[in-house]
Amino acid sequence: MKLNAKLTLMIPELRHSLALRTKIHITNTDRIRAAVLVPLFCKESEYYLVFTKRTQHVSTHKGQISFPGGVHDQTDTTLSDTALRETYEEIGISGESVEILGELDDFPTHVSYFVISPFVGLIPWPCSFIKNESETAEILQVPISALLDSKTLGQGNEIVDNELVPTFFYSYDDSIIWGATARILRQFLEIWQSTAAEIKTRGNT
């Protein structure tokens, strides 16, 4: 299916937007280094993100909605290697087929004491996901347009260091995206929206 001009421009412009950012690094050596992939693909003239629902068999964040990823391993040369390796292990998408577009800021987790480095990656479509039954209960394909709907974003509270702090979450169908994944998602969506707005502005001039 032929994409319209805006969809065709979105990926190179998103790559450019990510390259212009100054990434915020968390260098606390007490935290456990981890990385995730923010997998992006286009299907039927619409862009989607891929999430996983974690099983009850994993050691942390049981049953939560997350991006594919995990802890940095000694066999990984870089954190992007970590994100790609874990993506292959969890949903069966090989690293060779992923085009890394850029990075988001490091994000800490409040309970498990990780610091997560997110990488935005374009994955091919169509593709065949292969679910790791021990780690992945479900693979979710969520339209970005649904996540940008104001009714999707909700407000709540989270306990951090024994204190109740305001937080937010995204709801899609029967799934709730919260915690560090919601914070990563929110930053990605802000960049996505600003990139789309820039394309639209240039198209009107």
Side-chain angles (χ1 to χ4, degrees):
M1 181 178 293
K2 186 175 181 181
L3 300 180
N4 63 38
K6 182 179 177 181
L7 286 173
T8 302
L9 285 172
M10 196 63 198
I11 295 305
E13 290 296 325
L14 178 62
R15 184 190 296 108
H16 182 65
S17 297
L18 291 167
L20 289 178
R21 297 183 67 256
T22 299
K23 175 184 171 77
I24 296 176
H25 294 272
I26 297 176
T27 57
N28 186 340
T29 56
D30 292 334
R31 285 188 173 270
I32 303 167
R33 299 299 310 188
V36 300
L37 186 73
V38 180
L40 171 70
F41 69 88
C42 189
K43 178 176 69 172
E44 298 175 352
S45 297
E46 185 163 13
Y47 281 103
Y48 288 71
L49 293 176
V50 180
F51 299 85
T52 65
K53 182 176 181 180
R54 294 166 64 83
T55 68
Q56 297 298 321
H57 307 301
V58 293
S59 57
T60 58
H61 304 289
K62 299 177 188 291
Q64 292 185 16
I65 305 299
S66 66
F67 291 114
V71 175
H72 179 70
D73 189 272
Q74 290 183 347
T75 62
D76 302 325
T77 304
T78 65
L79 284 165
S80 63
D81 290 339
T82 302
L84 293 174
R85 174 180 56 77
E86 290 282 349
T87 296
Y88 177 68
E89 291 176 4
E90 293 179 12
I91 63 174
I93 301 299
S94 68
E96 291 80 7
S97 66
V98 179
E99 179 186 354
I100 297 294
L101 303 178
E103 299 183 52
L104 302 176
D105 293 341
D106 287 346
F107 285 86
T109 60
H110 297 317
V111 177
S112 51
Y113 215 63
F114 292 124
V115 55
I116 302 172
S117 294
F119 295 84
V120 180
L122 182 68
I123 65 175
W125 187 264
C127 64
S128 298
F129 295 112
I130 303 173
K131 186 172 63 174
N132 182 326
E133 298 293 343
S134 65
E135 297 184 38
T136 307
E138 187 178 353
I139 298 172
L140 296 88
Q141 305 171 31
V142 183
I144 291 178
S145 59
L147 295 167
L148 290 173
D149 188 329
S150 60
K151 296 191 292 277
T152 302
L153 182 62
Q155 302 291 320
N157 295 291
E158 187 176 356
I159 296 176
V160 179
D161 296 329
N162 296 319
E163 292 185 10
L164 197 65
V165 297
T167 186
F168 58 90
F169 58 89
Y170 293 85
S171 57
Y172 177 75
D173 287 346
D174 296 326
S175 300
I176 301 295
I177 303 167
W178 61 282
T181 301
R183 295 194 295 275
I184 294 168
L185 175 59
R186 187 173 189 178
Q187 184 175 84
F188 170 82
L189 292 177
E190 288 173 351
I191 296 168
W192 181 271
Q193 284 183 295
S194 65
T195 302
E198 177 64 24
I199 294 172
K200 182 177 180 180
T201 298
R202 289 207 307 268
N204 292 333
T205 57

